[in-house]
Amino acid sequence: MAAVLIEREDAVLRVTWNRPEALNALTSQMLSDASEAIEAADPGVRAIVLTGAGRAFSSGADLTAVNPGQALGTETIDCANRLIRAIRATPAPVIAVVNGLAAGAGCSIALATDLTVAAESAYFLLAFAGVGLMPDAGATAVIPAAAGRARATRMAMLGERIPARTAEEWGLITAAVPDAEFPDEAGRLVTRVASGPTHAFARTKHAFNRTALAGLETALEAEREGQVFLFGTDDFAEGTDAFLGKRKPRFTGK
């Protein structure tokens, strides 16, 4: 079965991570497939939905496929950055429908969309520090722009779970919806956007890209540079080993 499902229904393009058994952990191929679908969207697409199958939006990069070492890590970052650029460049509004956990790059991607609606039981987690890494996929630009530097630093360095309701209060997401109402509410939001003033939405998005997210490209480059360095550290090797071994990491600062 495909790891990414691409479906078109009338004016809505739906992109679904489809590895529910792995909590939709992201591979470079999955990121590339999602990017290609968004980049290829024709003018008839008036809304794009990004979501996850099963009980998670995405648990982030698949650490079973990202070994310590620059080459593979660089590929993963480049594919994630391509997706962020595609989300921001497409004139169609991109809506993240977050049905559960959104962690690591999954969190970054969900918060980089234009509208993010989450089930009340969902939560957001920048899990990077737990494996000796820094946030990427645009998180260092998108999250401070939405919630402020102090909260962004808290998420990045302390790795706390941010419940959907708190994320809404912080301005990180559009809405947190009770689980029982979530499918219907998400559907209504998508329908409303897809039937809205397409050109006005596109121009609004373009303006936000040039103002609130003017530093996004600089952030993507800085994240890539920092992450490539961190892939070569002992702390990343230890963090990855601890994660896969389901134990607490012992960082040494090397």
Side-chain angles (χ1 to χ4, degrees):
M1 184 175 293
V4 180
L5 302 179
I6 311 296
E7 304 167 292
R8 172 77 179 268
E9 183 177 352
D10 298 325
V12 177
L13 177 69
R14 183 177 292 268
V15 180
T16 306
W17 312 126
N18 191 39
R19 295 183 69 203
E21 74 288 350
L23 297 180
N24 297 317
L26 300 169
T27 65
S28 57
Q29 187 61 57
M30 291 169 67
L31 293 164
S32 294
D33 289 347
S35 298
E36 289 174 7
I38 294 172
E39 291 164 354
D42 63 69
V45 172
R46 301 176 67 186
I48 298 172
V49 175
L50 189 58
T51 191
R55 59 192 180 93
F57 177 79
S58 171
S59 58
D62 186 352
L63 289 182
T64 64
V66 182
N67 299 314
Q70 181 173 329
L72 187 55
T74 301
E75 178 186 12
T76 304
I77 292 172
D78 288 343
C79 290
N81 285 355
R82 177 186 174 189
L83 178 56
I84 298 302
R85 290 183 176 109
I87 288 170
R88 299 312 315 162
T90 182
V94 181
I95 304 164
V97 176
V98 181
N99 47 310
L101 162 69
C107 176
S108 303
I109 293 165
L111 299 182
T113 60
D114 301 296
L115 296 164
T116 306
V117 59
E120 203 166 45
S121 62
Y123 63 91
F124 299 83
L125 172 65
L126 290 183
F128 300 92
V131 293
L133 296 177
M134 65 175 288
D136 59 22
T140 63
V142 170
I143 295 177
R149 183 181 60 83
R151 285 171 171 164
T153 302
R154 174 178 171 180
M155 290 179 68
M157 293 188 177
L158 302 184
E160 298 174 341
R161 294 186 179 190
I162 307 300
R165 188 61 65 188
T166 301
E168 180 185 30
E169 292 170 357
W170 285 8
L172 284 171
I173 67 173
T174 309
V177 181
D179 287 29
E181 304 169 20
F182 178 66
D184 289 341
E185 283 297 321
R188 279 191 281 271
L189 176 63
V190 173
T191 298
R192 178 178 176 181
V193 171
S195 60
T198 303
H199 291 299
F201 288 163
R203 289 290 182 171
T204 299
K205 180 172 180 173
H206 178 66
F208 283 148
N209 285 343
R210 294 182 62 181
T211 54
L213 293 178
L216 178 59
E217 190 60 37
T218 298
L220 291 174
E221 293 171 1
E223 290 168 357
R224 185 186 189 280
E225 179 182 352
Q227 212 72 302
V228 168
F229 168 81
L230 292 169
F231 280 134
T233 63
D234 291 346
D235 278 350
F236 174 58
E238 165 62 15
T240 303
D241 186 68
F243 176 82
L244 297 176
K246 298 181 179 180
R247 61 174 176 82
K248 186 176 180 179
R250 297 181 290 274
F251 295 127
T252 62
K254 298 179 181 179

